[in-house]
Amino acid sequence: KAGVTQTPRYLIKTRGQQVTLSCSPISGHRSVSWYQQTPGQGLQFLFEYFSETQRNKGNFPGRFSGRQFSNSRSEMNVSTLELGDSALYLCASSLARATSYEQYFGPGTRLTVT
Amino acid sequence: AQKITQTQPGMFVQEKEAVTLDCTYDTSDPSYGLFWYKQPSSGEMIFLIYQGSYDQQNATEGRYSLNFQKARKSANLVISASQLGDSAMYFCAMRQDTGRRALTFGSGTRLQVQP
């Protein structure tokens, strides 16, 4: 069974640009969550999607948005990029939303904003 | 609000020895799950083990076991017979059963296994 895949793996953007990251969950998984990892702030929750609906959102500005498609694939978008958005963006999928279901992570997309 | 605390920024262990990575948590939710993840230098978060708040037995997965002490709000990870490939960052995380079901992570412990 294939794991969670994220594309692209690496990305370099300039301040003010926008970026779209993609996440394909494990087959059959319907919940997709996104996390940002930085050396200073650690791992922080961005948002969660389940059945094409955003269920939870972390404390990030409106420049961060996402969506989920009917096949459970998810995208996140960051507009008007800032230097501080440089981070590893991790996507995690889960069979369902209940706590007892493990979340499996993808390899991440490393975004560098210059 | 929930919080995870990992007080060991770095740990060293000799190959083939056991090591315990500490994790304490704080939550007012009676129902929650505790997770441990390994993050090698490649960046991917690898799921290791899960413990539910109502589970009576400590979780075990191969060389990994979770020492769950609910009254103390601790969920320490024990790695037995350490291997060189165990060198990585280890994160403890918690997810509540109600409200926001996002994982809250600790700051991590960098484990280095020495030959």
Side-chain angles (χ1 to χ4, degrees):
Chain A
K1 200 177 208 182
V4 179
T5 58
Q6 291 186 248
T7 57
R9 293 292 311 279
Y10 302 91
L11 207 49
I12 300 175
K13 290 286 189 178
T14 305
R15 269 182 302 175
Q17 288 186 317
Q18 75 163 23
V19 67
T20 299
L21 311 182
S22 180
C23 170
S24 292
I26 292 171
S27 178
H29 284 197
R30 297 170 61 194
S31 171
V32 174
S33 297
W34 289 87
Y35 294 84
Q36 181 198 63
Q37 185 177 25
T38 60
Q41 300 298 318
L43 281 147
Q44 293 185 287
F45 170 73
L46 280 157
F47 25 66
E48 178 205 2
Y49 286 87
F50 182 80
S51 293
E52 301 178 62
T53 303
Q54 187 181 90
R55 302 294 178 153
N56 287 302
K57 191 177 192 304
N59 297 322
F60 280 83
R63 300 185 297 106
F64 291 81
S65 63
R67 58 178 176 169
Q68 185 180 36
F69 302 95
S70 58
N71 61 358
S72 294
R73 188 177 72 85
S74 176
E75 287 181 348
M76 68 163 279
N77 184 275
V78 188
S79 63
T80 320
L81 283 166
E82 300 177 359
L83 294 179
D85 297 333
S86 294
L88 180 66
Y89 290 88
L90 291 160
C91 160
S93 80
S94 180
L95 190 62
R97 302 188 67 222
T99 299
S100 57
Y101 289 99
E102 300 96 349
Q103 281 193 328
Y104 294 93
F105 284 80
T109 294
R110 190 168 295 279
L111 171 66
T112 302
V113 182
T114 62
Chain B
Q2 52 187 336
K3 186 179 179 182
I4 296 283
T5 302
Q6 293 181 255
T7 57
Q8 305 155 314
M11 290 277 289
F12 288 91
V13 66
Q14 290 294 123
E15 197 177 4
K16 299 181 184 176
E17 291 186 348
V19 63
T20 298
L21 306 184
D22 295 341
C23 172
T24 57
Y25 60 92
D26 189 23
T27 181
S28 56
D29 196 319
S31 182
Y32 50 88
L34 294 157
F35 301 77
W36 277 92
Y37 287 88
K38 171 185 177 181
Q39 187 177 42
S41 56
S42 60
E44 183 173 359
M45 297 285 283
I46 301 168
F47 167 76
L48 295 177
I49 196 165
Y50 161 83
Q51 177 88 41
S53 60
Y54 292 117
D55 292 343
Q56 297 295 317
Q57 305 262 21
N58 284 342
T60 60
E61 288 286 350
R63 295 186 298 112
Y64 305 106
S65 61
L66 199 153
N67 185 1
F68 181 46
Q69 298 189 41
K70 194 170 182 177
R72 292 187 173 185
K73 292 189 174 179
S74 75
N76 298 339
L77 176 71
V78 180
I79 305 174
S80 64
S82 297
Q83 301 172 357
L84 296 177
D86 293 335
S87 294
M89 281 290 288
Y90 288 81
F91 291 94
C92 178
M94 177 173 64
R95 186 169 68 193
Q96 295 179 166
D97 268 343
T98 58
R100 179 185 294 182
R101 290 184 176 82
L103 286 169
T104 297
F105 286 87
S107 55
T109 296
R110 181 170 296 282
L111 176 67
Q112 293 187 27
V113 180
Q114 298 175 318

